[in-house]
Amino acid sequence: MTAPILRNLGDLRDLTRPFIRAGETIGVVPTMGALHDGHLSLVAAAKARCDRVIVTIFVNPKQFNNPDDLKNYPRTEVEDARKLARFDVDALWVPEAERMYPPHFATTVSVAGLTDVMEGAHRPGHFDGVATVVTKLFTQTAATDAFFGEKDYQQLLVVRRMTRDLDLPVTVHGCPTIRDIDGLALASRNLLLSDRARTRAPALFTEMERIAEGLRQGGDLETLATRGRARLETAGFTWVDYLDLRGQENLARLDTPDRPARLFAAARLAGVRLIDNIAVNDQVAL
Ligand code: PAF
């Protein structure tokens, strides 16, 4: 059944009021649209856990530090609604930017520490935009549960930190990255890849797997990463922003995976910036 598309807060509050009164759980899946199977896996997780499910679609201008990236971000609302029909969600919340951020909007939610590295360092202001909009989406929807993909692992940790720090009554669930058959992590920006770039893009995951395996075998991170960067350049990537080993809980930089660790990468291919991360070891024998 096609879910109602709500665009103003009054209608959303009318929808959620009886849910709240009945003590029902409300699962929220925040998205920027251009839905793919990764998003749909979050919707399925929300449906399995919660009495009610709201999917939000909002291309949040505050989290884009590059105006061209905002302009080119894929927008596919009709197709998104069609993809969601089989999940029987309770609503799509699709607010207008002018209502989300009316003139004189003056509040920013900012998470320190976790945001200093990787995406935070390469995209100034990005996580302030994410934390601000997610706080608004949580309160607008009266979320009790929220579902985020591990594909944006740093974002997941930032949202968890913010939710705890602000005592927001929301349980944040992290869900596994969904990959295409060739290993490419599903992402809305993949739609921007040309056919030729799309065939090259899985090299990122392949190299990350190779480095992770090298580390598990006791290899040296710097050597493995230098070779990985060179192979990515040969595969057509023009720039590798980072290829970092970091602690799974606090994103502290590591040289060896002597505690639960993930490998993180961001690289550009034919003008499209791809990010990915994989677990190197999530359990370390003591
Ligand atoms: O991951 C995204 O799509 C966005 O960063 C989010 C969480 C919907 C906030 O705009």
Side-chain angles (χ1 to χ4, degrees):
M1 208 174 62
T2 314
I5 298 180
L6 306 181
R7 297 186 198 274
N8 78 67
L9 196 51
D11 292 341
L12 181 63
R13 295 241 153 100
D14 287 347
L15 177 88
T16 55
R17 202 170 294 116
F19 303 164
I20 298 166
R21 217 177 277 135
E24 293 179 315
T25 52
I26 302 176
V28 170
V29 181
T31 82
M32 298 204 297
L35 301 184
H36 50 65
D37 284 350
H39 295 117
L40 300 183
S41 74
L42 304 179
V43 177
K47 284 290 295 184
R49 277 194 101 101
C50 300
D51 301 318
R52 303 288 176 173
V53 173
I54 299 173
V55 177
T56 78
I57 297 179
F58 179 62
V59 182
N60 173 31
K62 285 201 184 290
Q63 70 187 75
F64 287 80
N65 53 320
N66 174 342
D68 283 341
D69 191 22
L70 174 61
K71 189 165 71 132
N72 297 334
Y73 199 85
R75 290 160 171 88
T76 58
E77 187 185 308
V78 172
E79 181 64 6
D80 291 345
R82 198 191 57 73
K83 286 182 182 166
L84 288 169
R86 72 186 155 101
F87 290 94
D88 194 20
V89 300
D90 292 274
L92 307 193
W93 170 229
V94 189
E96 308 282 352
E98 299 70 34
R99 298 224 183 133
M100 199 63 143
Y101 302 120
H104 312 300
F105 184 89
T107 300
T108 299
V109 180
S110 191
V111 176
L114 285 171
T115 59
D116 292 345
V117 298
M118 298 194 292
E119 291 308 285
H122 285 271
R123 303 179 62 190
H126 169 68
F127 283 121
D128 284 0
V130 170
T132 303
V133 84
V134 170
T135 306
K136 284 181 66 92
L137 293 170
F138 282 2
T139 55
Q140 288 169 339
T141 57
T144 60
D145 295 75
F147 296 79
F148 291 83
E150 287 184 350
K151 153 83 172 40
D152 295 302
Y153 193 86
Q154 188 176 12
Q155 168 173 279
L156 171 63
L157 292 194
V158 168
V159 169
R160 279 212 172 114
R161 179 79 271 150
M162 168 201 101
T163 304
R164 279 186 206 138
D165 287 355
L166 298 181
D167 304 314
L168 301 178
V170 182
T171 304
V172 176
H173 304 270
C175 303
T177 301
I178 305 295
R179 298 183 181 279
D180 235 324
I181 192 129
D182 55 13
L184 181 66
L186 297 190
S188 302
R189 281 190 181 81
N190 294 353
L191 290 176
L192 303 174
L193 292 168
S194 64
D195 289 350
R196 187 173 146 80
R198 176 62 190 80
T199 60
R200 295 173 162 213
L204 185 62
F205 177 62
T206 308
E207 280 316 316
M208 292 176 73
E209 285 263 278
R210 203 193 301 254
I211 295 170
E213 191 45 36
L215 289 167
R216 287 183 206 112
Q217 307 291 332
D220 170 60
L221 175 62
E222 206 180 313
T223 311
L224 291 163
T226 304
R227 287 191 196 137
R229 279 174 185 265
R231 270 194 294 260
L232 285 172
E233 279 164 25
T234 308
F237 283 80
T238 45
W239 196 257
V240 179
D241 281 345
Y242 54 82
L243 199 45
D244 287 358
L245 181 69
R246 292 186 177 268
Q248 181 166 283
E249 306 297 333
N250 59 5
L251 303 184
R253 199 163 197 156
L254 301 176
D255 292 324
T256 49
D258 56 2
R259 66 200 76 169
R262 298 183 85 87
L263 187 67
F264 293 86
R268 289 159 212 255
L269 177 66
V272 182
R273 192 164 175 280
L274 302 176
I275 66 169
D276 202 350
N277 72 91
I278 57 174
V280 175
N281 63 344
D282 34 28
Q283 269 152 23
V284 179
L286 293 174

